[in-house]
Amino acid sequence: MSKNASVRRAPRMADVAAMAGVSGMTVSRVLRDPTCVTPETLQRIEQAIEATGYVANRVAGSLASRRTNIVGLIVPSLRNSLFVETIQGVSDVLGTSHPLMIADSGYSLAGEEAAIRAFLGQRVCAVVLHNTTHTDRSRVMLREAGIPCVETGNLTRQPIDMVASFSNRKAARAMTAYLIARGHRRIGFASLPTDDNDRAEERRAGYQAALSRARMPVDPALTIEVAAGLAGGAEALTYFLSLTPAVDAVFLSGDVLATGAVLEAKRRRIAIPKRLAIVGTDDSDLQERISPAVTTLRFPRYDIGRRAASMLLTRLDGRPVDPASVDLGFEIVERATA
Amino acid sequence: MSKNASVRRAPRMADVAAMAGVSGMTVSRVLRDPTCVTPETLQRIEQAIEATGYVANRVAGSLASRRTNIVGLIVPSLRNSLFVETIQGVSDVLGTSHPLMIADSGYSLAGEEAAIRAFLGQRVCAVVLHNTTHTDRSRVMLREAGIPCVETGNLTRQPIDMVASFSNRKAARAMTAYLIARGHRRIGFASLPTDDNDRAEERRAGYQAALSRARMPVDPALTIEVAAGLAGGAEALTYFLSLTPAVDAVFLSGDVLATGAVLEAKRRRIAIPKRLAIVGTDDSDLQERISPAVTTLRFPRYDIGRRAASMLLTRLDGRPVDPASVDLGFEIVERATA
DNA sequence: TGTCCGCGAGTTAGCGCTAACTTGACGAAA
DNA sequence: TTTCGTCAAGTTAGCGCTAACTCGCGGACA
């Protein structure tokens, strides 16, 4: 037994070419366009690929062609099912032709910058960012890299390149206006921490804008920040119930805060919505099936992911994307808690 | 203005080296080990990197060194928060030094095989699989590639390479035994579809094993499969309530089935656990906070991800991993529904 | 009959790094 | 002084592909 046989290395394109009796270039072409050779040649090459178990080396291919087909995606956290919806949308559109590299920023701009740097080192061909605020360096690096970029977390007016999202501000304003229209006059607002989180910030601005437009006072005591999770919602509810004069509605912006608040309200036997209306964001089958069913804002997160990916593919295909800013909108789902 | 200046391409290592007055090799070494040169040289190189905005090209580096530091990870679906827990664990341990490439198999073995093929094309240095059943081709490809692999979904006895998980069978058996010990005699079992899903299959086997050990009959009418989601849980509950003679307990294995069942039972004003005990799997703060709080199996999914990643890193570091099979265990969380 | 075009397939020259070897200077040991 | 080890840094030769150009052949057309 020869040494070559015992120490088997991965087959290279040249091995396949030799076995099929063609040049390496022909194999390379066939892998990208099977119709560009005669059927007989194609068949010989396919047989050789099968026989050797050849798997094309994309690393070498990428170096030679100076581009990869890897798409990089950064979310604040992987744990949050909201972001995961968008990731699934991106993944579904990209398929296996464009591998997806995923990193989490840990909700920090520095974390995002580190992830961008790592991605650029891998020479990703495009990036998807959830955040719409970034460090200066992040912006510069992405601009210099000259690759397409879609932001998905908020319909920012200053995208790095493209954006597919909804307006957090408009959505929060619409929901607040909805409460006002239904006669509520003292409305509490709880959000996730706003540092490095433009979405939470925008929503608070939307809440305040709705109050101002209705000529209602903006009481700082009615705006709080809580941690994500059911516990955060419960905490917010507890706080708002402690206020004098009493609030008659609360808007819990983000994550499952509203569900947490409703569960806590039930535990305390608070009448919903009679004594207190509760509305939330990020509709889910949980918010729908809990009793009373929660009135929420619904965001098209999966579609945002799909749209973001298709915008990237269009640009990678050399075609222009117009408009570069796509508003996928939002929806108020009226149920029983308001 | 020269053409070179107007058409700026990404700086290469040679540019940095020229600016710092050293050879490319020295720059290459510094990037991996800053202490291997004199402090003055290091400083000059760092300044040159800063001035040029150089980002090392990992594609070229990988080709030259014949290895990447990309870890590939495949889950059945990204939408499911259970899998995402594990992903976060993996991601936290890998950090930015090992970019994470993620694909979903769409719950199919063929999808997994396609993803594995794509990953091997990218020459990933290691893979994490959630599934523990695979196509023959998948197994062959991974073995030929000779890269470390950790499976995380079930403590399989025939891992491709390594496994970090818990025993789905033992967990389901323990939970069923728990119900039997509490006096239940007619126990329904609902799971997710078992095709291509070894976890669901194992759990059903565990349920049946517990019944057999207690010398209780295994009635096929008491075992059903439902779709994931709260609706699936509601559907299961509806089915079990329709049976004669009546069941006195149901075990809903997987996803949020138990929560869905509890919500549906409340809607129908079924007394829990008096008339019907309900237990589930995959503990979450939702199962804890819903009323009545759900008795569940808790699986250490995040820790499984961390452990899987550290096993990979150990092997990539050239050190052996022993044992190659790690049981992270499970726990029955006793609450109010049983 | 000659010209030219289109098409299948080959040849050449890198892509931007790193492994492995080499060099040269300096100081310690013989 | 000679020898040799050590350490910083350089030189050489690819890694396994693909871009871009080249070649040769057969058929359409004037």
Side-chain angles (χ1 to χ4, degrees):
Chain A
M1 189 193 269
S2 78
K3 191 170 181 184
N4 283 346
S6 59
V7 184
R8 263 230 315 285
R9 24 151 219 65
R12 291 160 311 179
M13 195 174 270
D15 303 327
V16 174
M19 180 175 287
V22 296
S23 75
M25 201 59 227
T26 303
V27 176
S28 173
R29 279 194 276 252
V30 160
L31 290 174
R32 274 167 300 172
D33 176 16
T35 68
C36 76
V37 294
T38 59
E40 303 83 68
T41 309
L42 173 61
Q43 197 196 342
R44 287 210 314 282
I45 292 176
E46 283 179 338
Q47 281 174 356
I49 288 175
E50 180 66 24
T52 53
Y54 174 69
V55 179
N57 186 334
R58 293 295 314 143
V59 176
S62 296
L63 180 60
S65 65
R66 306 202 214 186
R67 71 194 137 66
T68 69
N69 43 7
I70 302 170
V71 173
L73 182 150
I74 305 172
V75 285
S77 163
L78 286 162
R79 270 209 165 105
N80 196 314
S81 58
L82 308 180
F83 307 139
V84 175
E85 275 292 291
T86 305
I87 297 178
Q88 184 74 56
V90 170
S91 174
D92 285 354
V93 169
L94 293 182
T96 48
S97 67
H98 290 76
L100 191 56
M101 208 168 253
I102 299 183
D104 75 280
S105 67
Y107 288 96
S108 96
L109 300 192
E112 185 186 70
E113 183 182 310
I116 289 172
R117 191 182 303 277
F119 281 171
L120 294 182
Q122 301 290 342
R123 297 295 190 266
V124 295
C125 65
V127 294
V128 180
L129 304 177
H130 188 82
N131 247 17
T132 50
T133 51
H134 318 279
T135 63
D136 288 345
R137 268 189 121 77
S138 294
R139 285 180 175 273
V140 168
M141 284 194 295
L142 285 172
R143 218 178 297 267
E144 300 250 302
I147 57 178
C149 167
V150 185
E151 291 162 89
T152 59
N154 186 51
L155 197 71
T156 173
R157 284 175 192 283
Q158 286 93 34
I160 293 175
D161 181 12
M162 298 178 281
V163 55
S165 191
F166 58 88
S167 167
N168 283 276
R169 183 186 297 233
K170 276 190 198 162
R173 196 169 76 179
M175 183 56 108
T176 309
Y178 173 84
L179 289 172
I180 294 170
R182 293 178 71 100
H184 298 288
R185 283 297 166 266
R186 203 163 147 75
I187 303 169
F189 178 82
S191 75
L192 304 178
T194 54
D195 357 313
D196 285 2
N197 185 341
D198 43 323
R199 281 95 57 201
E201 217 170 275
E202 285 286 296
R203 291 184 191 174
R204 189 166 61 191
Y207 157 76
Q208 293 174 348
L211 294 183
S212 298
R213 168 168 294 201
R215 304 189 186 289
M216 286 166 61
V218 177
D219 181 349
L222 295 189
T223 299
I224 62 168
E225 293 181 5
V226 293
L230 295 175
E235 181 194 334
L237 187 92
T238 304
Y239 170 78
F240 286 123
L241 288 177
S242 74
L243 295 180
T244 324
V247 299
D248 52 12
V250 292
F251 176 10
L252 294 113
S253 160
D255 200 51
V256 290
L257 295 183
T259 308
V262 168
L263 289 174
E264 180 66 13
K266 284 173 71 176
R267 206 181 61 79
R268 291 165 174 260
R269 306 193 181 287
I270 306 290
I272 307 172
K274 215 172 255 179
R275 171 159 164 214
L276 186 70
I278 297 177
V279 297
T281 60
D282 296 300
D283 192 44
S284 66
D285 60 346
L286 174 62
Q287 312 237 42
E288 180 184 349
R289 285 186 169 259
I290 203 175
S291 171
V294 189
T295 294
T296 64
L297 277 166
R298 177 183 291 159
F299 305 129
R301 295 190 182 277
Y302 176 74
D303 289 334
I304 287 172
R306 291 194 70 103
R307 187 60 175 262
S310 68
M311 288 165 85
L312 290 180
L313 291 180
T314 300
R315 278 276 285 279
L316 290 173
D317 206 35
R319 305 197 308 276
V321 173
D322 184 48
S325 172
V326 178
D327 187 350
L328 277 294
F330 58 87
E331 199 182 330
I332 293 180
V333 183
E334 303 189 44
R335 297 215 186 85
T337 57
Chain B
M1 189 194 266
S2 79
K3 192 169 181 185
N4 283 346
S6 60
V7 184
R8 265 228 314 285
R9 18 149 225 68
R12 291 160 311 180
M13 196 174 268
D15 303 327
V16 173
M19 180 175 287
V22 297
S23 76
M25 201 59 227
T26 304
V27 177
S28 174
R29 278 194 276 252
V30 161
L31 290 175
R32 274 168 299 173
D33 176 15
T35 67
C36 77
V37 293
T38 60
E40 304 84 67
T41 308
L42 174 60
Q43 198 197 341
R44 287 209 315 281
I45 292 177
E46 283 179 338
Q47 281 174 355
I49 288 175
E50 178 67 26
T52 53
Y54 174 69
V55 179
N57 187 334
R58 292 294 315 142
V59 176
S62 296
L63 179 61
S65 65
R66 305 202 216 186
R67 71 193 137 67
T68 68
N69 42 9
I70 302 171
V71 172
L73 182 151
I74 304 173
V75 285
S77 163
L78 287 163
R79 270 210 166 103
N80 195 315
S81 59
L82 309 179
F83 307 139
V84 174
E85 275 293 291
T86 306
I87 297 179
Q88 184 75 55
V90 171
S91 174
D92 284 354
V93 169
L94 294 182
T96 49
S97 68
H98 291 75
L100 190 58
M101 208 168 253
I102 299 182
D104 74 281
S105 68
Y107 288 96
S108 96
L109 300 191
E112 186 186 71
E113 183 182 309
I116 290 173
R117 190 182 302 275
F119 282 170
L120 293 182
Q122 301 291 340
R123 296 296 189 267
V124 295
C125 65
V127 293
V128 180
L129 304 177
H130 188 82
N131 247 18
T132 50
T133 50
H134 317 279
T135 63
D136 288 344
R137 269 190 119 76
S138 294
R139 285 181 175 274
V140 169
M141 284 194 295
L142 284 172
R143 217 177 299 265
E144 301 250 301
I147 57 177
C149 167
V150 184
E151 291 162 88
T152 59
N154 186 53
L155 198 70
T156 173
R157 285 175 191 283
Q158 287 93 33
I160 294 175
D161 180 12
M162 299 178 281
V163 56
S165 191
F166 58 90
S167 167
N168 283 276
R169 184 187 297 235
K170 277 191 197 162
R173 197 169 76 180
M175 182 55 107
T176 308
Y178 172 84
L179 289 173
I180 294 170
R182 293 179 69 100
H184 298 287
R185 283 297 166 266
R186 202 163 149 75
I187 302 170
F189 178 81
S191 75
L192 303 179
T194 53
D195 357 314
D196 286 3
N197 184 341
D198 43 322
R199 281 96 56 203
E201 217 169 276
E202 284 286 296
R203 291 185 192 174
R204 189 167 60 191
Y207 157 78
Q208 292 174 348
L211 294 183
S212 298
R213 167 167 295 201
R215 303 191 188 286
M216 287 166 60
V218 177
D219 181 350
L222 295 189
T223 299
I224 61 168
E225 294 182 5
V226 293
L230 296 175
E235 182 193 334
L237 187 92
T238 304
Y239 170 78
F240 286 124
L241 286 177
S242 73
L243 295 180
T244 323
V247 300
D248 53 12
V250 292
F251 177 10
L252 293 113
S253 160
D255 199 50
V256 290
L257 295 182
T259 308
V262 169
L263 289 174
E264 179 67 12
K266 284 174 69 177
R267 205 180 63 78
R268 291 165 174 261
R269 306 192 180 288
I270 307 290
I272 308 172
K274 216 173 258 179
R275 169 156 168 217
L276 186 70
I278 297 177
V279 299
T281 59
D282 298 299
D283 192 43
S284 65
D285 60 346
L286 175 62
Q287 312 237 42
E288 179 184 350
R289 287 187 167 257
I290 203 174
S291 170
V294 189
T295 293
T296 65
L297 279 166
R298 177 183 291 160
F299 306 129
R301 296 190 182 276
Y302 177 74
D303 289 335
I304 287 172
R306 292 195 70 104
R307 186 61 175 263
S310 70
M311 289 165 85
L312 290 180
L313 291 180
T314 301
R315 278 276 286 279
L316 290 173
D317 206 34
R319 305 197 309 275
V321 173
D322 184 49
S325 172
V326 178
D327 187 349
L328 278 294
F330 59 86
E331 198 182 331
I332 293 180
V333 183
E334 303 189 44
R335 296 216 186 85
T337 57

